[in-house]
Amino acid sequence: MSLTHACRRLAAVTAGVTALTLGLALPALAHVTINPGSAQQGGFTKVAFRVPNERDDASTTKLEVTFPTDHPLAFVSVKPVPGWEVKVVEGKLPKPVTTEYGELTEAVTKVTWSGGKIDPGQFQEFEVSMGALPTDTDQLVFPTTQTYSGGEVVKWADEPKADGSEPERPAPTLKLTPASAEGDGHGAVASATPSAAAPASAPSVAPAASVESSDGTARLLGGAGLVLGIAGLVVGALGLRRGRAS
């Protein structure tokens, strides 16, 4: 086998492996995701459902996100997206859920965006603010349906696998982490920081002002006493001179 032939064969094998690798990787990169992918338990968060268009010959025209009913969210609001209509659906829960805001019997079960389009080679983000996030689970799964202009419907509804591998059509999943020791997930850490620093700075200011005030007062009184003393000496001297003259 000539060197030229060997090089050509190696190049062909390399190109085939690269194409196969890209072919396996691209589907994993193209599914609907939730960003950021994690948030603190017990708090509120803003997330974006990121939707890429996977097709070369069709546009994405509708997105339907299902919200969990086993761990319902008491507060859900959506950010308007230019060119898209949004519909928020509330429904009765299979069973009431007790939260820190009281007992929930109804909650948001689905949010649908429609009327716009995501063209080939583009993506769109749909933002949602929600909370309070549950404290008794480490994840929230949002099964999502993506509809194309040609009528194709793709369901991203597979839950994460126990072994950590990615399923064929993974549902957007929000990982929940324990709240930090300094706060409870409601922004207490940021609000507590200034007040915690105040006691430390107060003593360094108050005594300095008192010392400066006392020092100024002492100087004023000392100056006044000196003036009075000099005046007394002058009066005494004048009296002594008058006595001698008489």
Side-chain angles (χ1 to χ4, degrees):
M1 181 184 295
S2 67
L3 180 60
T4 302
H5 182 69
C7 290
R8 288 177 179 175
R9 186 173 182 178
L10 178 60
V13 172
T14 302
V17 171
T18 301
L20 179 60
T21 302
L22 290 175
L24 293 175
L26 285 177
L29 296 174
H31 57 256
V32 178
T33 58
I34 187 169
N35 298 280
S38 65
Q40 285 191 356
Q41 294 174 334
F44 286 73
T45 189
K46 184 187 77 169
V47 299
F49 291 95
R50 183 175 297 167
V51 185
N53 186 52
E54 292 184 300
R55 303 293 180 259
D56 295 330
D57 57 352
S59 300
T60 294
T61 56
K62 183 179 179 181
L63 184 76
E64 184 178 270
V65 179
T66 301
F67 279 63
T69 55
D70 55 343
H71 294 95
L73 299 167
F75 302 98
V76 175
S77 59
V78 297
K79 182 177 181 179
V81 180
W84 291 80
E85 296 178 1
V86 60
K87 181 180 180 181
V88 180
V89 177
E90 292 189 7
K92 194 173 184 63
L93 299 175
K95 62 179 181 179
V97 176
T98 301
T99 71
E100 62 178 301
Y101 302 100
E103 186 178 74
L104 287 182
T105 58
E106 293 185 353
V108 171
T109 58
K110 189 178 297 183
V111 178
T112 302
W113 289 269
S114 61
K117 67 175 181 176
I118 307 172
D119 290 327
Q122 299 180 357
F123 74 92
Q124 179 66 57
E125 290 187 336
F126 301 90
E127 293 183 338
V128 177
S129 177
M130 57 190 183
L133 301 176
T135 58
D136 57 348
T137 184
D138 61 358
Q139 66 180 21
L140 291 177
V141 180
F142 299 84
T144 299
T145 301
Q146 182 177 10
T147 302
Y148 288 91
S149 56
E152 181 185 7
V153 176
V154 179
K155 294 183 179 296
W156 304 99
D158 296 343
E159 295 194 11
K161 293 183 178 180
D163 61 3
S165 61
E166 188 172 81
E168 182 180 358
R169 296 193 180 279
T173 301
L174 180 67
K175 299 293 184 181
L176 300 180
T177 60
S180 60
E182 293 83 1
D184 60 359
H186 294 269
V189 176
S191 61
T193 303
S195 60
S201 60
S204 65
V205 175
S210 299
V211 170
E212 184 178 355
S213 176
S214 298
D215 185 61
T217 302
R219 289 180 182 179
L220 179 61
L221 292 176
L226 181 61
V227 172
L228 291 176
I230 293 174
L233 289 175
V234 171
V235 172
L238 291 175
L240 181 60
R241 183 175 297 180
R242 287 176 183 176
R244 286 179 180 179
S246 59

